Amino acid sequence: MTKKILILPGDGIGPEIVAQAVKVLEKLQNQGLAVELDEAPVGGAAIDASGVPLPEETLEKAKAADAVLLGAVGGAKWEALDIAIRPEKGLLGLRAGLGLFANLRPALLYPQLADASTLKPEVVSGLDILIVRELTGGIYFGQPRGIRTLENGEREGFNTLVYRESEIERIVRVAGDIARKRDSRVCSVDKANVLECTELWREVATRVMEADYADVELSHMYVDNAAMQLVKAPKQFDVMVTTNMFGDILSDAAAMLTGSIGMLPSASLDEKGKGMYEPIHGSAPDIAGQDKANPLATILSVAMMLRYSLEESEMADRIEAAVNRVLDEGLRTADILSEGMREVSCSEMGDAVVAVL
Ligand code: IPM
Ligand code: MG
């Protein structure tokens, strides 16, 4: 049963980091992993080729695949375009089109990189947080939305924050299920003191957790406090579950605690466990094409793919062990370089992981 993986390199550093992940996949193919790889354009690359950020054919291929690996989308070149056809819309269209409502964003501190954090080592050492971000609802997709002109000629921008009970319930269940495999603690983040939508969020989260996850400890936190706690005492958290936009913001903050956004993978899953996997960082246009980017987040995204969508957890473990090994050997891309370590390029880092495998 050969599984199909669709590769979407995208823009900026996307193609170079994805190329390293493909090397890893090809190495595993040689060792018996039954996958076949296909590739398609998305984001700015797709706009340049065909005028739209998510061509019909790309979405069809993604739907037919067992898993999708994405590099990154976006860049200055396309920033002047209407928001409805920007590269980012390609990503949002994939999330919506594939029903990828559950976004898992781990923030894990590799002990070898403790010095890379801007926070004191004792605050972040041993950090292991998982942010579960709702990904296909909330203000990102709510209607109505737009920019309108008022009677007095002034323009007004508007978006809508909406969540149905069923949307809240299914993401809370994902958080509860994952927490059981970790430290059995879920912190639900909202702004229930101001926004009715998240008042409902809190109510549903409480109901679902009390009914079906009595063994998991549930706490609630307002998002402003959660942002503060993340930089003050981040180790208090195990799993955090939150809305699309709060998750967007908190996951960047959490990622930076580890000092190295270039290290963090993510998974976006549908109801059946099919998923799209991508590094948390963006397309980094300033270093694109220079073979300088850190490919480890993308390589670790392959590990998440093997674990969550391809039922190959042993191969996933091997990739993670290989990454640990190259870090132990002192290899560092520029973003995680520290004194006494050896700086390597993006492709050298990819080769090093393949060599360990
Ligand atoms: C992310 C990114 C995206 C988002 C952008 C590129 C649309 O910031 O995946 O966190 O806001 O979701
Ligand atoms: Mg973001």
Side-chain angles (χ1 to χ4, degrees), residues 187-241:
C187 177
S188 171
V189 177
D190 61 40
K191 189 71 185 173
N193 50 344
V194 178
L195 304 173
E196 289 82 353
C197 180
T198 64
E199 194 187 345
L200 181 68
W201 178 286
R202 186 177 286 219
E203 187 194 308
V204 172
T206 305
R207 170 164 53 75
V208 170
M209 294 295 293
E210 277 177 2
D212 293 333
Y213 297 88
D215 53 319
V216 176
E217 180 191 309
L218 174 69
S219 59
H220 302 278
M221 207 178 265
Y222 297 138
V223 63
D224 50 347
N225 186 28
M228 183 174 79
Q229 295 300 330
L230 268 177
V231 285
K232 188 178 168 203
K235 285 191 272 183
Q236 70 184 280
F237 298 110
D238 177 25
V239 175
M240 301 174 94
V241 63

Side-chain angles (χ1 to χ4, degrees), residues 35-114:
V35 292
E36 94 194 14
L37 311 184
D38 193 4
E39 200 181 299
V42 71
I47 295 173
D48 289 349
S50 61
V52 291
L54 180 59
E56 197 63 32
E57 199 192 336
T58 297
L59 182 59
E60 286 316 312
K61 280 185 174 180
K63 283 181 179 165
D66 293 291
V68 179
L69 181 70
L70 177 82
V73 296
K77 186 175 170 192
W78 306 282
E79 258 164 28
L81 290 175
D82 189 291
I83 202 164
I85 53 159
R86 281 212 210 137
E88 288 78 1
K89 275 284 161 178
L91 184 55
L92 296 172
L94 280 165
R95 290 172 181 170
L98 299 174
L100 306 173
F101 73 96
N103 185 210
L104 314 185
R105 299 193 161 187
L108 185 82
L109 185 79
Y110 284 79
Q112 302 94 325
L113 303 180

Side-chain angles (χ1 to χ4, degrees), residues 283-305:
S283 58
D286 53 318
I287 56 162
Q290 297 174 30
D291 197 20
K292 260 165 85 171
N294 186 347
L296 293 178
T298 317
I299 291 171
L300 291 165
S301 296
V302 171
M304 283 189 101
M305 172 189 286

Side-chain angles (χ1 to χ4, degrees), residues 91 141 158 169 193 230 235 249 251 257-258 292 299 355-356:
L91 184 55
F141 292 93
F158 57 101
E169 179 167 344
N193 50 344
L230 268 177
K235 285 191 272 183
I249 298 165
S251 63
L257 299 174
T258 72
K292 260 165 85 171
I299 291 171
V356 175

